[in-house]
Amino acid sequence: MGDVAHRPVLLDEVLETLQPRDGGLYVDATFGGGGYSRAILAAASCRVIGIDRDPDAVVRGEALAAECPRFAIVHAPFGTMREHLAALGVSEVDGVVFDLGVSSFQLDEGGRGFSFQADGPLDMRMEKSGPTADDILGEIDERELARVLFTYGDEPQARAVARAIVAARRQGPIGTTGALAAIVARVKGGRHGPRDPATRTFQALRMLVNDELGELERGLAAAETLIRPGGRLVVVSFHSGEDTTVKRFVNGHGGRQAQPSRHLPPVALPPPRWRWVRHGIVKPGAAEVAANPRSRSARLRVAERLAGTDERVHDRRRGEKETPEWRPAA
């Protein structure tokens, strides 16, 4: 099936935990350059459906579909995967893989505005539609901008950066990635260490423009309705908010809810729908980080879909759990 344009992050670990099998059906929810899809197709005689909202990625997916009849591409946000797979006659899959964040293809194309490495329009739209980053920066309230920079970018100088951006826009639209990076550099005093001072600001704006955390929540909910018992959910994330969203989703749907008060009457809780295959996160090794510095913040989590349908009774008076015997899902 040709050569992969780039090696995806944590590829060996993704394949090891996804466990592709002959006859299986898997979803690559963030097709990007197709690295995961190609590797899954090569690992077993299975089928893969790729999903991406970026039109450029869909073109690459169409090329792979023409090359391999076991692959199909869907142009859509992954939060809508259930509806789009239903249109293909698919109601169950054996696994879903998410590789969150921005792809190398998007970063390397200056005209997309995701990176400050080359000056270009301040765009950042994955779908090439809707408001651009420049549009949003022209209207957003200073306090809200500071919140976005702190929450999505972990920017310790969020207030100062937001104040400088709002002051600059009074002179006209910021317009380009280079102009925005220069504003941030003036606030933060230039580069200190390997990370450019504008990195956190660009990450935060990209996540805001594309509603990435909201889309992740929708994507996880959709994946849960599709993955059959025994199937795997594999997520590679690059942001603490993404990783926390995945962790809370699996724990919240996996019987790890907070303990209720023992002074209240017992309540019926839904049965666990997930179990962690690996506890904690998997990070890339030193060799991978050296070969691909962009992988340094990657973290992988993997969970398995359970088959239980019975309810568990949580006795708040005793603080004990009574778990009935599991029965296969109908």
Side-chain angles (χ1 to χ4, degrees):
M1 290 181 292
D3 296 327
V4 179
H6 70 290
R7 182 178 173 83
V9 173
L10 291 166
L11 177 60
D12 293 339
E13 292 82 354
V14 166
L15 292 177
E16 177 187 346
T17 53
L18 182 64
Q19 298 183 337
R21 61 174 180 81
D22 292 351
L25 175 58
Y26 302 90
V27 173
D28 181 355
T30 48
F31 178 76
Y36 288 122
S37 289
R38 290 178 180 270
I40 295 167
L41 290 165
S45 181
C46 60
R47 292 184 295 149
V48 175
I49 298 174
I51 300 174
D52 210 296
R53 56 176 166 171
D54 187 332
D56 292 349
V58 173
V59 171
R60 292 188 288 269
E62 289 170 344
L64 177 57
E67 183 183 339
C68 178
R70 293 186 285 119
F71 177 79
I73 186 70
V74 172
H75 184 193
F78 56 63
T80 63
M81 72 174 81
R82 181 181 181 183
E83 296 85 348
H84 285 84
L85 266 62
L88 298 176
V90 174
S91 60
E92 282 190 325
V93 300
D94 295 286
V96 176
V97 177
F98 292 91
D99 178 19
L100 303 174
V102 66
S103 75
S104 296
F105 292 91
Q106 292 165 329
L107 284 172
D108 293 340
E109 187 178 338
R112 299 296 300 275
F114 288 103
S115 173
F116 42 79
Q117 299 300 329
D119 196 23
L122 195 54
D123 193 313
M124 299 192 186
R125 298 171 299 171
M126 291 183 178
E127 294 178 80
K128 295 189 175 182
S129 63
T132 67
D134 200 34
D135 294 333
I136 290 175
L137 286 182
E139 299 179 355
I140 191 170
D141 174 80
E142 180 180 324
R143 178 176 294 183
E144 175 62 11
L145 177 57
R147 185 195 68 80
V148 167
L149 296 178
F150 181 80
T151 303
Y152 295 162
D154 298 321
E155 173 53 68
Q157 294 177 254
R159 291 181 179 177
V161 172
R163 186 163 52 248
I165 291 172
V166 170
R169 78 184 184 194
R170 296 192 185 103
Q171 310 303 316
I174 294 171
T176 68
T177 56
L180 177 60
I183 293 169
V184 179
R186 287 196 294 271
V187 173
K188 303 193 69 172
R191 182 188 289 268
H192 299 283
R195 175 177 287 180
D196 189 281
T199 299
R200 296 177 186 273
T201 294
F202 272 70
Q203 173 183 279
L205 285 177
R206 188 204 78 225
M207 294 183 72
L208 175 65
V209 168
N210 298 287
D211 186 25
E212 293 182 34
L213 290 184
E215 187 64 19
L216 176 57
E217 292 175 351
R218 293 186 288 273
L220 293 171
E224 183 174 78
T225 68
L226 289 166
I227 299 176
R228 59 172 54 98
R232 297 285 174 89
L233 172 69
V234 180
V235 184
V236 177
S237 63
F238 296 82
H239 180 264
S240 60
E242 295 170 338
D243 183 62
T244 298
T245 298
V246 175
K247 182 178 178 181
R248 286 177 177 171
F249 176 82
V250 173
N251 284 342
H253 295 225
R256 295 194 173 201
Q257 299 93 333
Q259 296 290 324
S261 172
R262 62 187 177 87
H263 301 292
L264 297 175
V267 294
L269 295 177
R273 292 178 291 229
W274 297 98
R275 75 169 183 88
W276 289 112
V277 174
R278 288 188 177 185
H279 291 282
I281 58 176
V282 178
K283 294 184 176 182
E288 180 169 2
V289 173
N292 178 14
R294 289 176 180 171
S295 71
R296 65 183 179 272
S297 58
R299 58 202 86 184
L300 178 148
R301 290 189 186 270
V302 55
E304 183 176 289
R305 189 73 161 90
L306 298 177
T309 58
D310 290 321
E311 288 188 337
R312 294 182 306 144
V313 175
H314 201 123
D315 190 334
R316 288 174 165 170
R317 292 168 298 184
R318 295 180 298 166
E320 298 175 352
K321 299 174 183 176
E322 297 178 3
T323 307
E325 181 181 354
W326 291 114
R327 295 196 300 270

